[in-house]
């Protein structure tokens, strides 16, 4: 083959080798990010990768003429440019709290635990039907701000005569951050007790949704906290402890997860820095307290679109093309790192069943028809808590029981109100404890 004909082949070969070298250096960088836990905003991994690549480039060019010795450095420079984006913040590194909501005053309470939480109060709007016991709301997440869709539901409860208080758990929404090591489910339970003490209204009713339901369940299992509770409503709970978290069982009817249109809006996970940080944390390759991004930076970066199909999974398949906007961009707040940290403490915790079995606080369980939660997470509460007097199976809704669609909010509010006032339930009491095996077999 003529020499001129060989040149394109040689060029293609060299280009391929250069691309392989770039890819190898990027992989080395990512491996070092994991090994160093992102130390120094990723600079430790970046400088080490640059040093290794430069050393190899010197070794490869040692027998070449002086100008040609620089050629092996080109893949190093390209890899350095690509990976440098992982080390550079693109959002503020100090916490930017959401602006004030236009329809409710944000208060800040200092709790005896050391947490400083954002508090919202919806006084009863119906004086004639006023319920004497305050109602405290624990939202889901964990470590997520209270969405606007939840605020609307709380306003509805206030119109029905409830004196509603809600607070964003430490690190969520407008509540102040904690050191990462202090985010634990036990801290959340202690914060609930401290909040009730700070409220100073005697015993309270508590409505806990999703992760808030986990906190409430564990509060029932702690006699010191349970003594502060008048009635408890556990709606769509997650796993309450390590043994429950290891259950992989049945879920409800098909959700909208794979049917809904893709979520629109900016995503931090399209930025290399945050794609690596959040992706590696989720895979367990970085700790929540990683040195790659600080807690405040991560909170500032994470957007509602980053939740992806998680939002759709909270709705029934029939609602796939009419899923409401749950929150405003300005109000949305979620701490992915702190949330993972709290979830890990749940998985690592021993069974709370013994304490739950001694609880006598009157309780109600709410389970959604199209729940994306493992049903055994809810039935474990039903089986283990003798205080559960009612179970309300909510037809036509997914994990997000109150969602602004049709009359779903009104139906959920009627269930809540009937239990808190000890009135007849709007829905049949099902499943009962005896019906748990049948309920878990049914796909309804």
């Amino acid at each position: 083959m003529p020499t001129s004909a060989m040149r394109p082949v040689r060029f293609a070969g060299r280009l391929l080798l250069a691309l392989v070298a770039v890819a190898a250096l990027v992989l080395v960088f990512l491996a070092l990010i994991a090994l160093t836990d992102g130390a120094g905003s990723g600079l430790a991994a970046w400088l080490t990768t640059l040093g290794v690549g430069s050393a190899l480039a010197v070794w490869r060019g040692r027998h070449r003429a002086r100008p040609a010795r620089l050629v092996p450095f080109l893949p190093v420079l390209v890899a350095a440019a690509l990976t440098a984006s992982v080390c550079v913040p693109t959002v503020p590194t100090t916490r930017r709290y959401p602006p004030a909501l236009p329809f409710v005053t944000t208060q800040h309470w200092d709790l005896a635990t050391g947490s400083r939480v954002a508090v919202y109060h919806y006084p009863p709007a119906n004086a004639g039907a006023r319920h004497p016991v305050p109602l405290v709301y624990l939202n889901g997440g964990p470590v997520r701000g209270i969405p606007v869709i939840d605020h609307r539901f709380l306003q509805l409860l206030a119109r029905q005569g409830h004196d509603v208080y809600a607070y964003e758990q430490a690190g969520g929404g407008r509540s102040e951050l904690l050191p990462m090591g202090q985010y634990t489910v036990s801290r959340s339970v202690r914060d609930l007790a401290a909040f009730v003490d700070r409220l100073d209204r005697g015993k309270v009713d508590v409505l806990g949704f999703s992760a808030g339901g986990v906190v409430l369940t564990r509060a029932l299992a702690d006699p010191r906290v349970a003594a502060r509770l008048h009635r408890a409503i556990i709606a769509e709970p997650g796993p309450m402890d390590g043994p429950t978290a290891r259950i992989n069982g049945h879920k409800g009817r098909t959700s909208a997860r794979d049917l809904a249109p893709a979520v629109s809006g900016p995503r931090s996970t399209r930025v290399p820095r945050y794609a690596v940080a959040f992706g590696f944390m989720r895979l367990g390759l970085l700790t929540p307290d990683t040195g790659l991004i600080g807690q405040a930076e991560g909170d500032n970066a994470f957007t509602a679109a980053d939740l992806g199909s998680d939002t759709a999974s909270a709705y029934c398949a029939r609602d796939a093309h009419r899923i409401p906007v749950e929150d405003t961009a300005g109000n949305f707040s979620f701490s992915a790192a702190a949330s993972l940290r709290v979830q890990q403490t749940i998985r690592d915790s021993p069974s709370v069943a013994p304490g739950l079995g001694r609880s006598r606080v009157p309780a109600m369980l709410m389970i959604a028809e199209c729940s994306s939660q493992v049903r055994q997470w809810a039935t474990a509460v039903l089986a283990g808590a003798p205080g559960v007097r009612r179970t309300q199976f909510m037809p036509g809704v997914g994990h997000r029981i109150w969602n602004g669609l049709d009359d779903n909010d009104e139906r959920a509010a009627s269930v809540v109100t009937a239990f808190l006032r000890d009135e007849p339930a709007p829905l049949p009491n099902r499943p009962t404890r005896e019906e748990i095996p049948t309920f878990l077999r049914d796909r309804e």
Side-chain angles (χ1 to χ4, degrees), residues 181-371:
Q182 293 186 25
Y183 289 107
T184 67
V185 68
S186 297
R187 173 63 172 263
S188 298
V189 174
R190 294 196 302 273
D191 279 352
L192 172 60
F195 181 85
V196 176
D197 290 345
R198 175 69 170 74
L199 182 59
D200 196 23
R201 294 273 301 276
K203 289 187 176 183
V204 300
D205 296 326
V206 181
L207 167 60
F209 167 67
S210 192
V214 175
V215 174
L216 180 53
T217 301
R218 295 178 69 99
L220 292 174
D222 185 333
R224 295 166 299 179
V225 186
R228 296 168 167 89
L229 308 182
H230 178 254
R231 289 194 170 216
I233 300 176
I234 302 167
E236 281 288 287
M240 60 184 176
D241 53 25
T244 313
R246 289 189 282 274
I247 295 175
N248 290 312
H250 301 286
K251 298 184 180 181
R253 283 186 184 269
T254 305
S255 75
R257 176 181 286 273
D258 299 318
L259 303 173
V263 180
S264 61
R267 298 191 181 199
S268 68
T269 47
R270 290 175 178 164
V271 179
R273 177 174 177 82
Y274 307 112
V276 171
F278 296 136
F280 276 29
M281 276 192 276
R282 187 154 190 166
L283 292 171
L285 299 176
L286 289 177
T287 67
D289 202 17
T290 176
L292 182 58
I293 61 171
Q295 179 187 172
E297 182 188 351
D299 291 3
N300 293 338
F302 203 91
T303 68
D306 287 325
L307 294 174
S309 60
D310 285 353
T311 297
S313 71
Y315 293 82
C316 291
R318 67 177 72 93
D319 295 325
H321 294 281
R322 60 170 193 153
I323 293 175
V325 177
E326 294 188 350
D327 208 356
T328 62
N331 185 63
F332 177 81
S333 170
F334 181 68
S335 177
S339 181
L340 289 172
R341 163 77 182 162
V342 172
Q343 292 176 62
Q344 186 60 55
T345 66
I346 295 172
R347 289 191 293 269
D348 292 342
S349 69
S351 173
V352 299
L356 192 61
R358 292 188 291 270
S359 175
R360 295 299 183 269
V361 176
M364 179 177 73
L365 193 61
M366 297 174 71
I367 303 176
E369 178 185 13
C370 309
S371 177

Side-chain angles (χ1 to χ4, degrees), residues 25-267:
L25 288 171
V26 170
L27 289 174
V28 168
F29 170 75
L30 294 176
L32 288 170
I33 286 286
L35 289 172
T36 62
D37 198 26
S41 195
L43 286 175
W46 188 81
L47 291 172
T48 302
T49 303
L50 184 61
V52 170
S54 298
L56 289 174
V58 170
W59 182 80
R60 288 184 59 205
R62 68 191 187 283
H63 297 308
R64 300 185 182 189
R66 186 173 298 275
R69 290 178 184 175
L70 298 178
V71 174
F73 284 91
L74 291 177
V76 180
L77 294 176
V78 172
L82 291 174
T83 54
S85 60
V86 177
C87 305
V88 180
T90 60
V91 300
T93 56
T94 55
R95 183 71 176 106
R96 291 184 308 181
Y97 292 96
L101 290 166
F103 50 80
V104 64
T105 300
T106 305
Q107 306 174 51
H108 283 91
W109 289 8
D110 292 313
L111 304 183
T113 56
S115 298
R116 182 172 171 82
V117 297
V119 181
Y120 310 94
H121 180 210
Y122 293 103
N126 187 345
R130 180 168 184 162
H131 188 59
V133 181
L135 174 61
V136 175
Y137 177 62
L138 298 176
N139 66 297
V143 200
R144 178 177 177 175
I146 299 176
V148 169
I149 202 168
D150 282 8
H151 280 286
R152 293 187 187 125
F153 181 65
L154 300 180
Q155 291 171 326
L156 174 59
L157 291 175
R159 289 196 296 272
Q160 295 192 350
H162 298 283
D163 194 8
V164 182
Y165 290 84
Y167 68 94
E168 289 169 318
Q169 296 174 42
R174 296 164 185 82
S175 294
E176 292 191 2
L177 308 182
L178 296 175
M180 188 59 68
Q182 293 186 25
Y183 289 107
T184 67
V185 68
S186 297
R187 173 63 172 263
S188 298
V189 174
R190 294 196 302 273
D191 279 352
L192 172 60
F195 181 85
V196 176
D197 290 345
R198 175 69 170 74
L199 182 59
D200 196 23
R201 294 273 301 276
K203 289 187 176 183
V204 300
D205 296 326
V206 181
L207 167 60
F209 167 67
S210 192
V214 175
V215 174
L216 180 53
T217 301
R218 295 178 69 99
L220 292 174
D222 185 333
R224 295 166 299 179
V225 186
R228 296 168 167 89
L229 308 182
H230 178 254
R231 289 194 170 216
I233 300 176
I234 302 167
E236 281 288 287
M240 60 184 176
D241 53 25
T244 313
R246 289 189 282 274
I247 295 175
N248 290 312
H250 301 286
K251 298 184 180 181
R253 283 186 184 269
T254 305
S255 75
R257 176 181 286 273
D258 299 318
L259 303 173
V263 180
S264 61
R267 298 191 181 199

